[in-house]
Amino acid sequence: MKKVSCLLILLVAMTWRLAAQSTPATDAVAVNDEDVVAQIFGKNKLMLLSELLNLSPIEEKAFQTTLTDYETEKGPWLTERIALLKLYNEEFSSLDERKMNSLTRQMINNDLEFTRLQLRYFRRMNKLLGATRAAKFFQLDNYLEQSTRTYIQNQLPFIKELESDKREGRPLTRR
């Protein structure tokens, strides 16, 4: 129950902190989840994960190395995702079918790359920590990632047809 409460507090605080920023939505993702974790829990991500995962001193060093590698490899994926979201946001009104097709495929491929990265690191974490603790790690990591994605998605305009339906007061679902 304590863990669920902590995660709910994290979501509320992350949403509040991101909403309080005056920068465009795609720049809001630049908020470092390390800062958010430290603000909510009073510890950095490594310390929080060490406690959550109940790491022994021997596991701690190997885990720290693996976590650093994971966060480093996650960087280019996140940079590409932000660039794609900015492109969509900047060119929203002028996207034709060809551009929309290309952009959508790039977003899907970006998601697939991230899933492959997580799978590679789940294997490493599984060997290092066992399945249960590896699952706990990715549960928290996914929680932070999905919270950020949700916030950004809520800030982006709808694709042309949906946006025009919204302005005209029609339901946003297709019939």
Short mmCIF file of all heavy atoms in Angstrom, two decimals, residues 10 17 32-46 48-49 140 144:
data_model
loop_
_atom_site.label_atom_id
_atom_site.label_comp_id
_atom_site.label_asym_id
_atom_site.label_seq_id
_atom_site.Cartn_x
_atom_site.Cartn_y
_atom_site.Cartn_z
N LEU A 10 3.80 10.60 -6.66
CA LEU A 10 4.72 10.92 -7.75
C LEU A 10 3.96 11.41 -8.97
O LEU A 10 4.33 12.41 -9.58
CB LEU A 10 5.58 9.71 -8.10
CG LEU A 10 6.56 9.88 -9.25
CD1 LEU A 10 7.59 10.95 -8.91
CD2 LEU A 10 7.25 8.58 -9.55
N ARG A 17 4.04 19.68 -11.42
CA ARG A 17 5.28 20.36 -11.79
C ARG A 17 5.33 20.62 -13.29
O ARG A 17 5.72 21.70 -13.73
CB ARG A 17 6.49 19.52 -11.37
CG ARG A 17 7.79 20.18 -11.77
CD ARG A 17 8.96 19.48 -11.19
NE ARG A 17 10.17 20.04 -11.80
CZ ARG A 17 11.32 20.06 -11.20
NH1 ARG A 17 11.45 19.57 -10.01
NH2 ARG A 17 12.37 20.55 -11.82
N ASN A 32 13.79 16.45 -16.00
CA ASN A 32 14.54 15.26 -15.68
C ASN A 32 13.78 14.46 -14.64
O ASN A 32 13.47 14.98 -13.57
CB ASN A 32 15.92 15.69 -15.17
CG ASN A 32 16.85 14.55 -14.95
OD1 ASN A 32 16.44 13.40 -14.87
ND2 ASN A 32 18.12 14.87 -14.84
N ASP A 33 13.47 13.18 -14.93
CA ASP A 33 12.74 12.41 -13.93
C ASP A 33 13.57 12.21 -12.67
O ASP A 33 13.03 11.96 -11.61
CB ASP A 33 12.16 11.09 -14.47
CG ASP A 33 13.13 10.18 -15.15
OD1 ASP A 33 13.82 9.42 -14.44
OD2 ASP A 33 13.18 10.23 -16.37
N GLU A 34 14.88 12.37 -12.79
CA GLU A 34 15.73 12.33 -11.59
C GLU A 34 15.37 13.46 -10.64
O GLU A 34 15.30 13.27 -9.43
CB GLU A 34 17.21 12.44 -12.02
CG GLU A 34 18.19 12.24 -10.90
CD GLU A 34 18.25 10.80 -10.40
OE1 GLU A 34 18.05 9.88 -11.21
OE2 GLU A 34 18.49 10.61 -9.20
N ASP A 35 15.09 14.65 -11.20
CA ASP A 35 14.68 15.79 -10.38
C ASP A 35 13.33 15.53 -9.72
O ASP A 35 13.12 15.85 -8.56
CB ASP A 35 14.59 17.07 -11.21
CG ASP A 35 15.93 17.52 -11.74
OD1 ASP A 35 16.98 17.12 -11.17
OD2 ASP A 35 15.95 18.27 -12.74
N VAL A 36 12.41 14.96 -10.48
CA VAL A 36 11.08 14.68 -9.95
C VAL A 36 11.16 13.64 -8.84
O VAL A 36 10.56 13.80 -7.77
CB VAL A 36 10.12 14.20 -11.07
CG1 VAL A 36 8.78 13.78 -10.50
CG2 VAL A 36 9.94 15.29 -12.11
N VAL A 37 11.93 12.59 -9.06
CA VAL A 37 12.10 11.55 -8.03
C VAL A 37 12.69 12.16 -6.76
O VAL A 37 12.21 11.91 -5.66
CB VAL A 37 12.97 10.39 -8.56
CG1 VAL A 37 13.35 9.44 -7.45
CG2 VAL A 37 12.25 9.65 -9.67
N ALA A 38 13.72 12.97 -6.92
CA ALA A 38 14.37 13.60 -5.76
C ALA A 38 13.40 14.53 -5.04
O ALA A 38 13.37 14.56 -3.80
CB ALA A 38 15.61 14.36 -6.21
N GLN A 39 12.60 15.25 -5.77
CA GLN A 39 11.65 16.18 -5.16
C GLN A 39 10.59 15.43 -4.35
O GLN A 39 10.26 15.81 -3.23
CB GLN A 39 10.97 17.02 -6.24
CG GLN A 39 9.98 18.02 -5.67
CD GLN A 39 9.29 18.81 -6.76
OE1 GLN A 39 9.58 18.67 -7.94
NE2 GLN A 39 8.37 19.65 -6.37
N ILE A 40 10.08 14.35 -4.88
CA ILE A 40 9.01 13.61 -4.21
C ILE A 40 9.53 12.75 -3.07
O ILE A 40 8.98 12.75 -1.98
CB ILE A 40 8.27 12.70 -5.22
CG1 ILE A 40 7.69 13.53 -6.35
CG2 ILE A 40 7.18 11.88 -4.53
CD1 ILE A 40 6.75 14.60 -5.92
N PHE A 41 10.58 12.00 -3.34
CA PHE A 41 11.04 11.01 -2.38
C PHE A 41 12.23 11.46 -1.54
O PHE A 41 12.63 10.77 -0.61
CB PHE A 41 11.40 9.71 -3.10
CG PHE A 41 10.21 9.05 -3.74
CD1 PHE A 41 10.01 9.16 -5.11
CD2 PHE A 41 9.30 8.33 -2.99
CE1 PHE A 41 8.91 8.57 -5.71
CE2 PHE A 41 8.20 7.73 -3.59
CZ PHE A 41 8.01 7.85 -4.94
N GLY A 42 12.83 12.59 -1.90
CA GLY A 42 13.98 13.08 -1.16
C GLY A 42 15.23 12.25 -1.40
O GLY A 42 16.18 12.30 -0.62
N LYS A 43 15.23 11.49 -2.47
CA LYS A 43 16.37 10.63 -2.83
C LYS A 43 16.51 10.62 -4.33
O LYS A 43 15.54 10.85 -5.04
CB LYS A 43 16.15 9.18 -2.40
CG LYS A 43 15.50 8.98 -1.11
CD LYS A 43 15.15 7.54 -0.84
CE LYS A 43 14.52 7.56 0.54
NZ LYS A 43 14.12 6.37 1.05
N ASN A 44 17.69 10.28 -4.79
CA ASN A 44 17.84 10.15 -6.23
C ASN A 44 17.27 8.80 -6.68
O ASN A 44 16.92 7.94 -5.86
CB ASN A 44 19.30 10.34 -6.67
CG ASN A 44 20.22 9.25 -6.18
OD1 ASN A 44 19.81 8.11 -5.95
ND2 ASN A 44 21.48 9.59 -6.02
N LYS A 45 17.17 8.63 -7.98
CA LYS A 45 16.56 7.43 -8.54
C LYS A 45 17.29 6.16 -8.10
O LYS A 45 16.67 5.16 -7.78
CB LYS A 45 16.51 7.54 -10.06
CG LYS A 45 15.67 6.52 -10.75
CD LYS A 45 15.57 6.84 -12.23
CE LYS A 45 14.65 5.89 -12.95
NZ LYS A 45 14.51 6.24 -14.38
N LEU A 46 18.63 6.22 -8.09
CA LEU A 46 19.41 5.06 -7.69
C LEU A 46 19.11 4.65 -6.26
O LEU A 46 18.90 3.47 -5.97
CB LEU A 46 20.90 5.33 -7.87
CG LEU A 46 21.84 4.20 -7.43
CD1 LEU A 46 21.58 2.93 -8.23
CD2 LEU A 46 23.28 4.62 -7.56
N LEU A 48 16.42 5.34 -4.48
CA LEU A 48 15.03 4.87 -4.41
C LEU A 48 14.93 3.44 -4.92
O LEU A 48 14.32 2.58 -4.28
CB LEU A 48 14.13 5.79 -5.21
CG LEU A 48 12.67 5.41 -5.27
CD1 LEU A 48 12.02 5.49 -3.89
CD2 LEU A 48 11.92 6.30 -6.24
N LEU A 49 15.55 3.19 -6.07
CA LEU A 49 15.51 1.84 -6.64
C LEU A 49 16.25 0.84 -5.77
O LEU A 49 15.80 -0.30 -5.62
CB LEU A 49 16.08 1.85 -8.06
CG LEU A 49 15.17 2.46 -9.12
CD1 LEU A 49 15.94 2.73 -10.40
CD2 LEU A 49 13.97 1.57 -9.38
N LEU A 140 8.40 0.74 -12.18
CA LEU A 140 8.65 2.14 -11.84
C LEU A 140 9.12 2.92 -13.07
O LEU A 140 8.64 4.03 -13.33
CB LEU A 140 9.68 2.26 -10.71
CG LEU A 140 10.03 3.70 -10.30
CD1 LEU A 140 8.79 4.45 -9.83
CD2 LEU A 140 11.09 3.69 -9.20
N LEU A 144 7.04 6.18 -14.76
CA LEU A 144 7.59 7.51 -15.04
C LEU A 144 7.45 7.86 -16.52
O LEU A 144 7.06 8.97 -16.88
CB LEU A 144 9.05 7.59 -14.60
CG LEU A 144 9.30 7.47 -13.10
CD1 LEU A 144 10.79 7.35 -12.81
CD2 LEU A 144 8.70 8.65 -12.34
#
